[in-house]
Amino acid sequence: MEKLELIKGCAKTLKLNNLSANASTIIENADVNDLSYQDLLLDILKSEVNLKEKKAQERLLKNAGFPIIKRIEDFDLNFQKSITPRQINRLLELEWIDRMFNLIFLGPPGVGKTHLAIAMGLKAVEAGYRVSFVSMDNLMHVLKTQDISRKIKGKVNSILSSSLVIIDELGYLPINKEEANLFFQLISALHEQASIIITSNKGFEDWTELLGDDALTTAVLDRLVHKCELFNMTGKSYRLEHRQSIF
Ligand code: ADP
Ligand code: MG
């Protein structure tokens, strides 16, 4: 009994959380199943590794800030033909993140831009990458207010240290000069440090008007498009086609 408490105490100090919580069950199981010392030790260590990986995964998912969970398995490629199964499979290998390629999904509302962006982000999280998802609107807010709140500064730092930054809905809301400059600075900071996914309802030809400055838009596009896959998503709105009715 006393030894069990000592084991638990040591496990706690070493942050072996599974052992500290389940020491007696682990020992009982080992007795019942007549485990060798080697198997027992391996079981204990493996459980700790699994628990740590699970916790790290949960942290990554929470930090990513997805507004909703969307999976690639639920994306109907027969409905959205602008992207092929082959392209999707290639993207799912996530090699583009290691090579710091950007993805840009352009197209009208409802064609699946945000769904694809989140689904890719989720796969990246599952593979252990740091991901940040922000709407353009929220991004502008955090960039503008980062100096007045430590929490927001933390959010900015988390974006800057991500391997994949997803910026959703560029173009829905107008952007002023200060915001356009902050956006340019962020893209510059992330350029060749991280992958960026941008979704937008506006084609590149409209970005100058959106960002309000020709030279700045060229500089932004230059950095984004340097290593980039562009998907022009066309077709009908999935929402409208699958409109639900209460009657
Ligand atoms: P967008 O960002 O292009 O406006 P969303 O990705 O938000 O569109 O898609 C709108 C809704 O339709 C979401 O609920 C999304 O999951 C769903 N959706 C869109 N395209 C597809 C698709 N090809 N297969 C399955 N669901 C889709
Ligand atoms: Mg969207």
Side-chain angles (χ1 to χ4, degrees):
M1 186 63 200
E2 201 180 302
K3 273 190 191 159
L4 188 62
E5 289 313 313
L6 284 172
I7 291 173
K8 284 185 179 179
C10 291
K12 207 164 172 192
T13 308
L14 290 170
K15 299 201 167 63
L16 301 174
N17 295 338
N18 188 56
L19 183 60
S20 90
N22 304 314
S24 59
T25 324
I26 292 170
I27 293 166
E28 269 166 40
N29 271 348
D31 268 341
V32 171
N33 297 315
D34 207 10
L35 286 195
S36 69
Y37 296 129
Q38 214 175 33
D39 284 339
L40 172 61
L41 205 49
L42 189 60
D43 271 4
I44 292 174
L45 293 176
K46 260 203 215 151
S47 304
E48 293 304 330
V49 170
N50 288 344
L51 188 68
K52 288 220 168 16
E53 282 176 353
K54 193 165 154 264
K55 288 262 185 273
Q57 197 53 219
E58 284 167 6
R59 250 192 327 271
L60 281 179
L61 184 62
K62 188 161 169 276
N63 285 341
F66 298 122
I68 185 171
I69 295 301
K70 293 281 177 184
R71 296 185 187 282
I72 201 68
E73 292 78 8
D74 300 323
F75 193 80
D76 183 356
L77 285 166
N78 288 318
F79 188 83
Q80 179 47 261
K81 300 256 189 213
S82 318
I83 182 161
T84 65
R86 204 172 138 252
Q87 286 173 317
I88 291 282
N89 287 333
R90 188 70 204 280
L91 291 179
L92 288 177
E93 289 168 14
L94 303 179
E95 182 227 16
W96 54 279
I97 300 183
D98 297 324
R99 293 170 65 201
M100 284 172 267
F101 262 71
N102 304 322
L103 308 182
I104 300 185
F105 298 114
L106 301 181
V111 292
K113 303 182 297 295
T114 302
H115 187 136
L116 274 185
I118 292 176
M120 286 299 156
L122 198 58
K123 287 287 177 197
V125 162
E126 283 165 6
Y129 291 96
R130 278 183 74 101
V131 176
S132 285
F133 180 103
V134 273
S135 68
M136 183 65 179
D137 189 25
N138 189 235
L139 178 65
M140 290 301 112
H141 176 73
V142 300
L143 290 179
K144 278 192 286 188
T145 54
Q146 57 181 312
D147 292 330
I148 53 177
S149 145
R150 261 172 81 198
K151 189 167 168 233
I152 296 180
K153 188 81 196 167
K155 172 79 183 167
V156 173
N157 287 337
S158 154
I159 292 173
L160 289 172
S161 61
S162 291
S163 303
L164 170 61
V165 178
I166 303 173
I167 303 170
D168 193 35
E169 297 200 334
L170 180 81
Y172 278 96
L173 295 174
I175 296 166
N176 65 31
K177 200 170 158 71
E178 183 204 357
E179 292 170 337
N181 274 317
L182 288 169
F183 182 62
F184 168 69
Q185 282 166 27
L186 180 80
I187 298 297
S188 295
L190 292 175
H191 179 56
E192 306 223 64
Q193 304 289 323
S195 284
I196 305 169
I197 296 182
I198 290 189
T199 81
S200 178
N201 62 331
K202 294 235 166 33
F204 288 156
E205 65 282 2
D206 297 325
W207 283 32
T208 301
E209 196 192 328
L210 180 71
L211 298 174
D213 183 316
D214 206 6
L216 187 131
T217 307
T218 309
V220 166
L221 281 178
D222 201 57
R223 283 162 178 74
L224 281 179
V225 176
H226 174 214
K227 281 158 80 183
C228 167
E229 279 309 322
L230 172 66
F231 297 93
N232 271 303
M233 294 169 66
T234 53
K236 293 182 185 153
S237 162
Y238 191 90
R239 287 194 198 92
L240 288 182
E241 283 295 298
H242 297 81
R243 191 172 65 90
Q244 295 179 17
S245 168
I246 44 172
F247 298 111

